[in-house]
Amino acid sequence: MSARRPRIAFLGECMIELYHRPGDEPGTMRRTVGGDTLNAAVYCRRALGDTGAAEVHYVTRVGDDPFGLDIPGFIEGEGVKAGHVEIAKGETTGLYAISRDDKGERSFSYWRSTSAARRLFAKGRDEALEAELEGFDGLVYSGISLAILSPEGRERLLALAGRMKAAGRIVAFDGNYRPRLWASKDEAAETIARAHANASLSLPGLDDEQALYGDADARGAVQRLLSLGATSAIVKSGGEPALLGDASGLREIAGVAAPAIVDTTSAGDSFNGAALAALLSGGTLEQAAEAGHRMASTVIGEYGAIVSREATWWAGGPLAATA
């Protein structure tokens, strides 16, 4: 009998994504699905390819509107398991639209204040889900995952992450600081610091860490994350080298030049997904960062958060591409 494949759960909010692509009719918008942890889950699954190294699951709540009803099928179509995507009766699905400047940098407009995902781990619900997730081999979430929850929901998610880390499971966290989602910067800084402390792998972007904590550079950010209690950290700096840190010290992994930059949406998310795929495939932290750079460099060459499968040309496995 073959050994059970490890199961890793990506948790957060997925939404309908609207974007206009140059060349389309003026005023028209394309529709797809996106969200930071969903993007990461999709790219993790693609990077795993046919290796069968892990099962990738997504955990969220969506509304029973026509948009939300389409989401489980979209997720399953990417090879990510959607058995923990709850269709919430009478609730709504979040939505966002992307605007871009001529350098590919993007800004977002959101309609998510009543998103069904906000009631994950709400009082009196999801106890069975929480217990089931504790039996998984990994948990991936973000500052956005925390920000949308009620105070009680945040506490339950942080406690779950802490228990899973203590049990030796993978707990990966990306700070993904979005000021509009928090009551104050202080609240965000305190909560996100606790999440980093409960992480076996912190995967933040340097700009978010600097905005919250004033780190002078990536070295300062990595050292602070490790001092908080993170077992390891990869701090991303766009196309610049990523800085890695763990008990063996700090080291730098150079970025990968992108053939073209048309849309930086999901650059960090795709990095996270590919990096986790490398680790799940038995790779080192260095191989994880290399895989993350390669995936991000292809993703920013197309429009949208989740690009075509053809763009992610190395989906046969992250370690094969580094051999």
Side-chain angles (χ1 to χ4, degrees), residues 186-228:
D186 287 345
E187 178 188 61
E190 188 273 337
T191 306
I192 288 173
R194 290 173 60 197
H196 284 308
N198 285 338
S200 63
L201 174 61
S202 287
L203 284 164
L206 178 59
D207 54 350
D208 287 336
E209 296 301 292
Q210 289 179 321
L212 278 175
Y213 306 107
D215 297 314
D217 51 27
R219 175 176 291 272
V222 170
Q223 290 173 333
R224 179 177 48 78
L225 294 169
L226 297 179
S227 70
L228 283 171

XYZ file of all heavy atoms in Angstrom, residues 186-228:
313
model
N -1.528 49.647 14.175
C -1.068 48.943 15.377
C -1.727 47.574 15.492
O -1.061 46.589 15.858
C -1.370 49.766 16.628
C -0.458 50.978 16.764
O 0.574 51.039 16.063
O -0.790 51.875 17.563
N -3.020 47.505 15.216
C -3.711 46.219 15.273
C -3.110 45.242 14.264
O -2.869 44.073 14.584
C -5.199 46.405 14.976
C -5.990 45.104 14.960
C -7.416 45.296 14.466
O -7.589 45.726 13.303
O -8.347 45.004 15.250
N -2.860 45.729 13.056
C -2.274 44.873 12.024
C -0.879 44.404 12.436
O -0.549 43.216 12.312
C -2.204 45.630 10.700
N -0.056 45.322 12.935
C 1.316 44.976 13.292
C 1.349 43.920 14.393
O 2.133 42.958 14.325
C 2.073 46.228 13.731
N 0.497 44.074 15.395
C 0.484 43.118 16.508
C 0.000 41.749 16.048
O 0.594 40.718 16.402
C -0.413 43.669 17.622
C -0.365 42.884 18.917
C -1.360 41.724 18.956
O -2.349 41.769 18.216
O -1.133 40.775 19.735
N -1.051 41.725 15.254
C -1.628 40.454 14.818
C -0.697 39.732 13.855
O -0.476 38.513 13.971
C -2.991 40.692 14.139
O -3.833 41.439 15.014
C -3.669 39.371 13.797
N -0.144 40.448 12.895
C 0.739 39.831 11.906
C 2.031 39.343 12.562
O 2.561 38.279 12.199
C 0.993 40.819 10.747
C -0.289 40.939 9.911
C 2.174 40.398 9.888
C -0.256 42.000 8.831
N 2.529 40.061 13.552
C 3.714 39.588 14.275
C 3.431 38.262 14.972
O 4.282 37.360 14.989
C 4.161 40.643 15.290
N 2.244 38.113 15.535
C 1.892 36.846 16.184
C 1.825 35.712 15.166
O 2.219 34.578 15.461
C 0.555 36.991 16.912
C 0.621 37.891 18.140
C -0.765 38.135 18.710
N -1.402 36.902 19.117
C -2.706 36.764 19.338
N -3.513 37.809 19.158
N -3.200 35.611 19.724
N 1.344 36.015 13.992
C 1.274 34.985 12.953
C 2.676 34.566 12.514
O 2.949 33.373 12.312
C 0.464 35.492 11.765
N 3.576 35.530 12.349
C 4.958 35.169 12.010
C 5.580 34.295 13.105
O 6.321 33.355 12.812
C 5.804 36.430 11.819
C 5.578 37.142 10.521
N 5.635 36.503 9.302
C 5.316 38.456 10.256
C 5.414 37.382 8.329
N 5.209 38.565 8.879
N 5.275 34.598 14.342
C 5.818 33.804 15.448
C 5.330 32.368 15.395
O 6.027 31.442 15.833
C 5.432 34.443 16.784
N 4.131 32.154 14.849
C 3.553 30.815 14.758
C 3.893 30.109 13.455
O 3.337 29.051 13.155
C 2.022 30.898 14.870
C 1.553 31.154 16.286
O 2.273 30.877 17.240
N 0.352 31.687 16.437
N 4.785 30.682 12.657
C 5.078 30.133 11.339
C 6.333 29.263 11.350
O 7.331 29.593 11.988
C 5.256 31.266 10.325
N 6.280 28.170 10.609
C 7.509 27.428 10.326
C 8.223 28.052 9.134
O 9.431 27.903 8.987
C 7.198 25.955 10.052
O 6.382 25.805 8.906
N 7.452 28.771 8.287
C 8.031 29.494 7.163
C 7.292 30.809 6.974
O 6.108 30.825 6.660
C 7.938 28.670 5.876
C 8.394 29.369 4.582
C 9.867 29.769 4.669
C 8.158 28.484 3.374
N 7.999 31.926 7.178
C 7.446 33.249 6.893
C 7.839 33.631 5.472
O 8.999 33.495 5.087
C 7.990 34.293 7.881
O 7.416 34.117 9.155
N 6.853 34.131 4.704
C 7.062 34.435 3.291
C 6.627 35.856 2.941
O 5.929 36.059 1.949
C 6.262 33.437 2.437
C 6.808 32.029 2.291
C 5.714 31.103 1.752
C 8.017 32.019 1.371
N 7.019 36.852 3.681
C 6.501 38.197 3.420
C 7.240 38.921 2.306
O 8.367 38.569 1.937
C 6.723 38.908 4.755
C 8.002 38.305 5.236
C 7.922 36.843 4.856
N 6.599 39.968 1.811
C 7.273 40.914 0.940
C 7.931 41.988 1.782
O 7.385 42.408 2.812
N 9.101 42.437 1.375
C 9.831 43.429 2.153
C 9.034 44.713 2.311
O 9.043 45.329 3.387
C 11.181 43.731 1.485
C 12.038 44.801 2.161
C 12.367 44.428 3.601
C 13.320 45.037 1.353
N 8.321 45.132 1.267
C 7.592 46.400 1.364
C 6.539 46.364 2.452
O 6.343 47.342 3.182
C 6.980 46.770 0.011
C 6.118 45.667 -0.580
O 6.115 44.532 -0.059
O 5.439 45.936 -1.602
N 5.844 45.218 2.608
C 4.846 45.111 3.673
C 5.494 45.162 5.052
O 4.981 45.815 5.974
C 4.057 43.804 3.532
C 3.085 43.821 2.371
O 2.678 44.923 1.961
O 2.729 42.737 1.880
N 6.609 44.474 5.217
C 7.282 44.465 6.514
C 7.815 45.855 6.861
O 7.747 46.287 8.014
C 8.415 43.433 6.504
C 7.944 42.002 6.318
C 6.971 41.563 7.399
O 7.390 41.433 8.570
O 5.779 41.338 7.073
N 8.316 46.556 5.860
C 8.802 47.913 6.121
C 7.669 48.852 6.481
O 7.816 49.714 7.360
C 9.561 48.429 4.894
C 10.902 47.742 4.685
C 11.629 48.236 3.456
O 11.015 48.480 2.414
N 12.943 48.389 3.555
N 6.524 48.684 5.818
C 5.376 49.548 6.120
C 4.891 49.350 7.546
O 4.479 50.309 8.215
C 4.246 49.265 5.133
N 4.955 48.121 8.030
C 4.460 47.831 9.380
C 5.509 48.031 10.470
O 5.183 48.488 11.571
C 3.954 46.386 9.442
C 2.547 46.115 8.931
C 2.254 44.626 8.955
C 1.505 46.866 9.749
N 6.754 47.665 10.186
C 7.753 47.589 11.252
C 8.986 48.473 11.018
O 9.862 48.540 11.878
C 8.207 46.133 11.435
C 7.037 45.203 11.664
C 6.622 44.328 10.660
C 6.323 45.218 12.856
C 5.535 43.487 10.851
C 5.242 44.375 13.056
C 4.845 43.512 12.050
O 3.767 42.681 12.230
N 9.054 49.115 9.858
C 10.157 50.039 9.609
C 11.509 49.389 9.419
O 12.546 50.027 9.673
N 11.553 48.132 8.977
C 12.841 47.466 8.756
C 13.676 48.252 7.745
O 13.175 48.689 6.701
C 12.628 46.044 8.217
C 11.879 45.166 9.216
O 12.239 45.179 10.404
O 10.932 44.476 8.794
N 14.956 48.379 8.013
C 15.830 49.136 7.119
C 16.060 48.405 5.810
O 16.206 49.018 4.753
C 17.166 49.403 7.801
N 16.097 47.072 5.880
C 16.378 46.266 4.693
C 15.914 44.836 4.946
O 15.373 44.513 6.012
C 17.868 46.304 4.345
C 18.760 45.965 5.537
O 18.313 45.235 6.451
O 19.929 46.425 5.559
N 16.141 43.962 3.957
C 15.694 42.573 4.070
C 16.396 41.848 5.220
O 15.787 41.021 5.901
C 15.930 41.840 2.752
N 17.672 42.171 5.438
C 18.393 41.535 6.546
C 17.701 41.838 7.882
O 17.496 40.940 8.702
C 19.845 42.025 6.575
C 20.654 41.513 7.762
C 22.100 41.960 7.658
N 22.766 41.283 6.573
C 23.382 40.104 6.697
N 23.428 39.498 7.874
N 23.974 39.557 5.671
N 17.341 43.100 8.082
C 16.647 43.451 9.311
C 15.316 42.740 9.431
O 14.928 42.311 10.529
N 14.600 42.591 8.309
C 13.303 41.913 8.340
C 13.465 40.442 8.692
O 12.741 39.910 9.546
C 12.609 42.065 6.993
N 14.417 39.762 8.052
C 14.618 38.333 8.337
C 15.029 38.127 9.785
O 14.516 37.242 10.481
C 15.665 37.726 7.381
C 16.042 36.310 7.832
C 15.131 37.682 5.958
N 15.949 38.944 10.259
C 16.400 38.786 11.642
C 15.257 39.010 12.622
O 15.147 38.304 13.629
C 17.564 39.745 11.915
C 18.833 39.351 11.174
C 19.938 40.382 11.310
O 19.678 41.577 11.509
N 21.183 39.943 11.200
N 14.396 39.973 12.337
C 13.266 40.222 13.222
C 12.287 39.043 13.198
O 11.782 38.625 14.246
C 12.545 41.507 12.805
C 11.318 41.840 13.674
C 10.689 43.153 13.249
N 10.506 43.229 11.812
C 9.518 42.609 11.164
N 8.649 41.870 11.827
N 9.415 42.717 9.862
N 12.022 38.487 12.020
C 11.093 37.363 11.912
C 11.610 36.147 12.683
O 10.845 35.468 13.377
C 10.873 37.005 10.443
C 10.153 38.069 9.609
C 10.226 37.736 8.133
C 8.702 38.220 10.057
N 12.896 35.878 12.562
C 13.467 34.742 13.285
C 13.440 34.987 14.788
O 13.197 34.063 15.574
C 14.894 34.472 12.805
C 15.035 34.068 11.326
C 16.516 33.866 10.986
C 14.247 32.808 11.019
N 13.670 36.231 15.193
C 13.646 36.540 16.624
C 12.235 36.424 17.190
O 12.057 36.117 18.382
C 14.213 37.938 16.877
O 13.331 38.949 16.397
N 11.232 36.662 16.359
C 9.846 36.489 16.799
C 9.519 35.029 17.081
O 8.648 34.724 17.889
C 8.877 37.019 15.733
C 8.701 38.528 15.624
C 7.891 38.866 14.375
C 7.992 39.076 16.867
